[in-house]
Amino acid sequence: MSGSEVIVPVWGASDGVHVLPTNQSLHRDDNHYRHHLAMLWFKHAGGTREDTTFKLNQLPIGYSGWERTRQYPDGRRHVDRYLYGHPSGKRFDSLPKALTHFQHWLEFGHSNGCPCVLCGGRTFTAAPEVEQENNAAVMNIDFSKLDKTTPYSILGLGLNATSDQINQAYTNRFLFVDIESDDPTSYGHRSLIALSRAKEILEDERPIGRQLLNRCIRCAKEGQGKDEPWEFLGLARDASEEQIETAYQACMANWSEYEKLAPMVLHCIEAAREAMLRALS
């Protein structure tokens, strides 16, 4: 029995720059990358569905796929596939190289620090240790082992997404969810819940809502704020132990039910509390 194909709306944000090839032997064909980028998005969002393939309705804005077929004397044929549109002006010459770039984009909503072969990555080194006012401690947290799922990746958005973009992304993905049964544990029902909660988080503009999420994402990628744990709890640097515990409880109460949608946030909250309490000792 053959599987079905689902067309997925592409995420709204993109760093593509509409670079086109100069090689006249190439012809435009986006299908290869539309399929594999959609599968990457689906896997990143935590989806698993047998006998179903996915394809983006189009490539991210500014990107285009190009191909050429080579014929060998012995009759063998080989298709060279390239993806154009990277901000560097260069092309991706293989699928794995391109997927590295878009995996980073889905996780963080930007290409800053992307480890792909064209971006080159960026190494963030810790600042020299200095004696800080109030003996402030640095947050100890290893993001490399954490699930990078966020509401942004679920909806295919960047960190600067507007309210209209959030609503549009939610609507687009909602329309493509297949409710195959009445079972609340089925994939379709779980997908709808994830979409609704992702939208709910991104519409929460409180300091302990979307603002905290963005701070955690930047910390995970660039190390921003590790030496300012009070910012994660919405406190002053000289907060008392009682204030730290109160803020910690408020943050945990707000995020505990969203653990699977943004696990890094809970880890940041815990690390911020521990760092501030160490500073008081």
Side-chain angles (χ1 to χ4, degrees), residues 170-187:
Y170 170 78
T171 300
N172 289 343
R173 280 157 176 73
F174 179 90
L175 294 175
F176 282 94
V177 174
D178 180 19
I179 305 298
E180 64 272 15
S181 76
D182 294 328
D183 182 358
T185 64
S186 67
Y187 169 78

Side-chain angles (χ1 to χ4, degrees), residues 183-202:
D183 182 358
T185 64
S186 67
Y187 169 78
H189 282 277
R190 288 186 287 109
S191 295
L192 289 181
I193 292 174
L195 288 172
S196 296
R197 290 188 170 182
K199 179 175 180 288
E200 184 178 285
I201 292 172
L202 297 187

